[in-house]
Amino acid sequence: MARVWIDDLWLKHDNGVPPSSTAKRSLAAVSDPMTAQVPERWRSSRYGKGKRWRCRWYTIEGESRRQHSKSFAKLADAEAFQAGMEDDVRRGRYADPNDARKPFGDIADMWLRSKNHVSEGVRARYECELRVYVKPRWENTPIGSITIDDVARWVSDLTTGDYPVSLSSTERKAKPLAPRSVKSIVKVVFAGVLDYAVKSRYLMSNPARDVEIPKSEYRDLIFLDIHEIEALADAAASVGRPVDGLIIRFQSYVGTRINESFALQVGDLDLEHRKARIRRTWKNSAKAQRLGPPKSGKPRTVAIPKFLIKPLKEQIKGQPETAYVFRAMRGGHINDHNWRRKVWHKAVELAKLGDVQGLTPHSLRHSYAAIAIKAGADVKILQRQMGHASASLTLDVYGFLFPERLEQVADAVDMERDAVLNGGKRGRTRGGSRSGAQAGARSGTQ
């Protein structure tokens, strides 16, 4: 499509003779077209009926040519539409109205096929959220009919539990979703599909991007204190093996992700310097587990507390470099799903932590962060240890745990002022340094 034509629906040519200027001026001068001095020979069958002006353009769909049109009462409005449409075409902003009628489900399938760079675990999550939460509401909806208000209402329904859902069991019902779940469903998956529609020129804009979602309340994260961690570790060693207690302590006092720990090999440990190199993690998919890079995509080095060095040395004694640090009974790697079922859940009950809602192995990583922050860890160091992509992410998740330090800033200003005004050592040293530099500069210019 490169051109938009404007048609006059009220006037016509008479055997190739266009309407006269007098007839056109007469029609433009009256409010009632039936009173205009327009001879019958130039009046079309639609004369005086409906809107007078029509914009007409064509698109190519496959091997066929399809016409589109839009009518206007005023010529000025039609000309403005014509200019805007042709400008959109030149600038690559045009979206075919016919494409806006495509059902959301078709675009969602196209979007999912395009996600070639994501891990199998992430792809599985996308597929699950599309199937369970998104498609039951939007699958047959034309993408061009979705409005900001429609999405906002859906977000509200997700938070209250009043939404269509597709679950594997008929006995299970929709329930209110946490802010983080709503964010993933709406802003990552649903909005991602509409972003794909915009990139494909099926839509001009994405209504989901401007919709507000509930703010995540990270204070709801589960943290265990040191006494609870030790009780859980002892319980794990009791229901499983001694190594299961070591796994609990490693998670809680080093802060790695559970599948990073299970992918750790003997050669990754540098126990003399109390360090471990996190190079890989186990990736879960519908078919099987496989090794891949850590979540951030980059290896990192983590520090290990002293008290863990001795049990770790005993755990890897006599093992080759390629052996897993935390091994299954037969020497292979530990599958996290099996470990949760055989050890974790039983240990939680034995440690009398069964009433802690939402307690998972990942809660031990949160617990590590809380312990480290309480001990005075710097946010940048904590970010490196935990493998977050940025310090801002660390602050987004754990910022509320950092102590309020405004008073410390005020105290530092107090000390600096007192040192300068009262001739303190700190003030004289800095002042002397500046004076010496200035004197040297003056002598050099003379």
Side-chain angles (χ1 to χ4, degrees), residues 225-239:
D225 63 31
I226 290 177
H227 291 295
E228 290 170 328
I229 291 169
E230 291 300 320
L232 184 60
D234 290 341
S238 176
V239 300

Side-chain angles (χ1 to χ4, degrees), residues 341-383:
R341 177 171 51 85
K342 295 179 179 180
V343 177
W344 173 262
H345 295 302
K346 295 177 181 179
V348 167
E349 292 298 326
L350 184 60
K352 298 184 174 17
L353 296 172
D355 59 342
V356 180
Q357 295 294 321
L359 180 62
T360 69
H362 201 71
S363 302
L364 302 181
R365 180 170 157 86
H366 296 321
S367 302
Y368 164 80
I371 293 170
I373 291 169
K374 186 177 181 181
D378 174 80
V379 64
K380 192 65 180 176
I381 298 301
L382 186 62
Q383 173 221 335

Side-chain angles (χ1 to χ4, degrees), residues 136-394:
R137 169 61 180 86
W138 302 103
E139 182 163 25
N140 297 315
T141 304
I143 56 174
S145 69
I146 299 173
T147 66
I148 293 177
D149 184 61
D150 293 334
V151 183
R153 289 175 182 270
W154 181 50
V155 168
S156 177
D157 292 342
L158 290 172
T159 60
T160 60
D162 185 22
Y163 55 89
V165 65
S166 176
L167 298 170
S168 56
S169 172
T170 56
E171 298 179 359
R172 297 175 61 191
K173 296 181 180 179
K175 62 180 181 179
L177 299 179
R180 278 177 290 170
S181 296
V182 175
K183 181 178 180 180
S184 178
I185 293 166
V186 177
K187 290 295 188 178
V188 177
V189 176
F190 179 74
V193 173
L194 295 185
D195 279 341
Y196 183 86
V198 172
K199 291 177 181 178
S200 300
R201 306 285 170 78
Y202 300 152
L203 290 177
M204 291 292 291
S205 61
N206 183 350
R209 287 299 171 203
D210 294 325
V211 173
E212 295 183 0
I213 59 173
K215 187 175 181 181
S216 296
E217 185 53 75
Y218 288 107
R219 292 177 186 270
D220 292 337
L221 297 177
I222 305 301
F223 304 98
L224 298 183
D225 63 31
I226 290 177
H227 291 295
E228 290 170 328
I229 291 169
E230 291 300 320
L232 184 60
D234 290 341
S238 176
V239 300
R241 299 172 294 150
V243 69
D244 295 308
L246 181 57
I247 292 170
I248 297 289
R249 291 187 172 94
F250 193 87
Q251 292 297 111
S252 304
Y253 300 121
V254 178
T256 51
R257 300 175 179 89
I258 186 67
N259 275 317
E260 290 176 342
S261 298
F262 287 161
L264 199 64
Q265 295 181 353
V266 173
D268 298 324
L269 295 181
D270 179 5
L271 297 183
E272 296 304 315
H273 296 94
R274 297 191 288 120
K275 300 282 176 53
R277 189 69 172 160
I278 306 301
R279 306 174 189 270
R280 61 190 75 81
T281 188
W282 286 105
K283 306 281 188 177
N284 291 315
S285 69
K287 297 179 180 179
Q289 283 191 321
R290 64 177 181 82
L291 285 173
K295 186 175 181 180
S296 65
K298 299 178 181 179
R300 71 184 189 279
T301 298
V302 298
I304 304 172
K306 289 182 181 179
F307 75 92
L308 285 176
I309 300 303
K310 182 178 179 181
L312 284 172
K313 284 184 176 180
E314 294 175 354
Q315 174 65 18
I316 66 173
K317 186 177 181 180
Q319 296 295 323
E321 295 268 298
T322 56
Y324 292 106
V325 175
F326 305 109
R327 301 177 297 282
M329 287 287 290
R330 297 182 180 181
H333 84 277
I334 296 175
N335 181 288
D336 69 307
H337 293 296
N338 292 339
W339 184 80
R340 291 168 195 252
R341 177 171 51 85
K342 295 179 179 180
V343 177
W344 173 262
H345 295 302
K346 295 177 181 179
V348 167
E349 292 298 326
L350 184 60
K352 298 184 174 17
L353 296 172
D355 59 342
V356 180
Q357 295 294 321
L359 180 62
T360 69
H362 201 71
S363 302
L364 302 181
R365 180 170 157 86
H366 296 321
S367 302
Y368 164 80
I371 293 170
I373 291 169
K374 186 177 181 181
D378 174 80
V379 64
K380 192 65 180 176
I381 298 301
L382 186 62
Q383 173 221 335
R384 290 172 54 191
Q385 179 84 4
M386 301 193 75
H388 287 158
S390 66
S392 61
L393 175 59
T394 307

